[in-house]
């Protein structure tokens, strides 16, 4: 994972996948939405080719997300390429919350990419921030900001 510190700082999202994420985010408003991302390492970073929505079963979905366990397991069993987690912040900026950071150890060992989206204002596009999940020498996980590119 040491290479994450140097050159692997770009997350490229296919156009179709970007649209699917944006549509899922909007369809779930005003609640948080979530899902998983499939893809692979690519020159200079990671490439995301597929998005699978997973129902948010949090008791308070306005401000939290919990992956539906059955759907989550099904995605895990579909095999290789599972590289990332997505969730939305319907009414706050797409940056990790304190709750996100507390939950990170639950997912961090399985994923390398972490995406957060927020709805755009009137007429503007979904805002999407991307992070690489990194683990330090003390086994603590961190989110390193990445450049998100579309296409
Ligand atoms: Zn969050």
């Amino acid at each position: 994972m040491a290479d994450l510190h140097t050159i692997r700082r770009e997350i490229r999202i296919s156009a179709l996948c970007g649209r699917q994420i944006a549509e899922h985010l909007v369809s779930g408003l005003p609640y948080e939405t979530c899902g998983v991302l499939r893809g692979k390492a690519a020159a200079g970073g990671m490439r995301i080719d597929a998005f699978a929505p997973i129902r948010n079963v949090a008791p308070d979905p306005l401000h939290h997300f919990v992956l539906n366990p059955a759907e989550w397991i099904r995605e895990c069993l579909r095999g290789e390429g599972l590289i990332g987690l997505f969730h939305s912040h319907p009414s706050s900026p797409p940056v990790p919350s304190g709750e996100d950071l507390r939950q990170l150890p639950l997912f961090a060992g399985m994923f390398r990419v972490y995406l957060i989206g927020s709805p755009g204002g009137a007429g503007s596009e979904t805002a999407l921030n991307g992070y690489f999940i990194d683990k330090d020498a003390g086994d603590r996980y961190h989110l390193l900001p990445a450049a998100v590119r579309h296409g």
Side-chain angles (χ1 to χ4, degrees):
M1 297 290 271
D3 53 353
L4 289 182
H5 289 293
T6 53
I7 56 166
R8 290 173 183 268
R9 284 300 192 92
E10 179 179 303
I11 299 170
R12 187 169 282 273
I13 302 173
S14 74
L16 173 64
C17 193
R19 246 185 345 262
Q20 290 171 333
I21 290 172
E23 285 170 7
H24 182 59
L25 185 160
V26 169
S27 75
L29 291 173
Y31 300 120
E32 289 198 15
T33 53
C34 46
V36 293
L37 307 156
R38 305 187 100 86
K40 54 183 177 295
M46 300 292 276
R47 172 168 185 85
I48 294 170
D49 301 307
F51 171 65
I54 292 184
R55 261 182 304 148
N56 179 3
V57 294
D60 173 16
L62 272 178
H63 302 291
H64 297 91
F65 76 97
V66 174
L67 300 174
N68 173 284
E71 295 177 16
W72 164 225
I73 289 168
R74 195 162 61 226
E75 283 303 320
C76 290
L77 293 177
R78 279 183 59 198
E80 290 189 15
L82 198 59
I83 59 161
L85 178 68
F86 162 83
H87 78 284
S88 63
H89 287 178
S91 53
S92 61
V95 295
S97 66
E99 173 77 9
D100 291 337
L101 295 175
R102 276 191 295 278
Q103 281 199 21
L104 192 58
L106 299 177
F107 306 108
M110 310 194 58
F111 295 123
R112 300 185 56 190
V113 167
Y114 193 93
L115 287 187
I116 308 177
S118 293
S124 63
E125 292 186 11
T126 301
L128 207 54
N129 279 345
Y131 304 84
F132 283 107
I133 296 169
D134 192 33
K135 186 159 79 167
D136 68 20
D139 281 350
R140 284 178 301 268
Y141 290 103
H142 302 276
L143 295 174
L144 307 178
V148 175
R149 305 203 193 289
H150 298 267

